[in-house]
Amino acid sequence: YSVQAGHLAGLHSLGPRWKANDGSEVRAIKPPIQNWKSPDPKSVAWLLLEVSAEGNGLFSGVQYVARVSTIGGAAPADVPTQAGEKKSVPYRAIYLFLAGTGN
């Protein structure tokens, strides 16, 4: 989920995709433009993604999403050993939604 001024602003899901409560959404349209190692080796990488925006609202005009300041999310030491087995690896991050000037 996303928080704006202390209120739930929308949801984040696989894709990656973000959907605001007002119906606008953005989704990644390519592999990451840039990928940086987190300063913490136990944390998932920082990314810069090009996105496609749909609808009018919070995400109107957003062209890029940056994931920074990650905490956790690195692959676990005890990886799955059987087909179909999944491991959940929680993480926290700050997502920056970037629009061009004039948007």
Side-chain angles (χ1 to χ4, degrees):
Y1 67 94
S2 302
V3 177
Q4 182 181 33
H7 302 284
L8 181 65
L11 299 174
H12 171 41
S13 60
L14 292 175
R17 177 182 300 250
W18 294 265
K19 185 167 186 172
N21 291 342
D22 62 17
S24 63
E25 66 180 75
V26 292
R27 63 178 174 78
I29 56 176
K30 298 179 183 177
I33 293 171
Q34 186 68 45
N35 188 333
W36 299 273
K37 281 189 173 185
S38 170
D40 176 5
K42 296 180 182 177
S43 296
V44 70
W46 297 14
L47 302 173
L48 178 62
L49 301 165
E50 185 175 354
V51 297
S52 172
E54 298 175 11
N56 294 319
L58 183 62
F59 292 136
S60 294
V62 172
Q63 297 172 308
Y64 302 95
V65 174
R67 178 178 73 191
V68 298
S69 299
T70 56
I71 300 171
D78 58 336
V79 297
T81 56
Q82 298 178 4
E85 182 182 359
K86 295 180 182 180
K87 295 278 182 175
S88 177
V89 183
Y91 75 95
R92 294 182 69 165
I94 294 174
Y95 286 94
L96 304 171
F97 297 88
L98 309 168
T101 57
N103 288 329

